[in-house]
Amino acid sequence: EGLGLGVRGGLDEGGPVHISALVPTMPAARCGRLNIGDQILSVDDEDVTRLTHNEAAQLLTNTRLSDHVELTVLTVPEEPEEAQYDLDQLLLGNILDDDSAAS
């Protein structure tokens, strides 16, 4: 299963790699900690900040082969004028829905 997120940005696009879409039924959205606009800093300890868009997208696509994915993201605040960015370690992987956790 893929992460279920879309990205924009990269060295060739003149801006940081950031989340542009989240599929509600997929792990990235189900974890509840990622937001559209969050900047992706690394995927499984691999720096994304120096990658082109295609390189970053391929790195994220390759996570389908893994049971565990670690993303480091810079959370974008809802109120930019009150900007205080938090560096957030996010572990994605065997995320269970509440229904499946109960069984």
Side-chain angles (χ1 to χ4, degrees):
E1 178 176 49
L3 295 176
L5 59 81
V7 294
R8 291 192 183 202
L11 279 181
D12 56 331
E13 294 190 4
V17 176
H18 63 277
I19 298 171
S20 60
L22 291 166
V23 179
T25 59
M26 300 294 281
R30 289 192 324 242
C31 78
R33 298 187 63 198
L34 293 175
N35 298 295
I36 292 174
D38 287 354
Q39 181 181 343
I40 300 175
L41 301 176
S42 68
V43 177
D44 291 334
D45 293 325
E46 186 165 338
D47 185 3
V48 174
T49 63
R50 300 183 186 277
L51 299 181
T52 65
H53 174 80
N54 286 340
E55 291 168 336
Q58 187 61 52
L59 181 62
L60 288 160
T61 298
N62 290 344
T63 64
R64 292 177 188 209
L65 305 173
S66 178
D67 290 338
H68 175 85
V69 178
E70 183 176 322
L71 299 179
T72 303
V73 301
L74 185 62
T75 301
V76 177
E78 291 184 31
E79 300 287 333
E81 61 273 9
E82 298 173 16
Q84 175 134 4
Y85 292 0
D86 296 319
L87 188 61
D88 206 15
Q89 286 284 336
L90 173 63
L91 299 176
L92 286 178
N94 297 324
I95 298 173
L96 301 174
D97 292 329
D98 290 337
D99 294 339
S100 61
S103 45

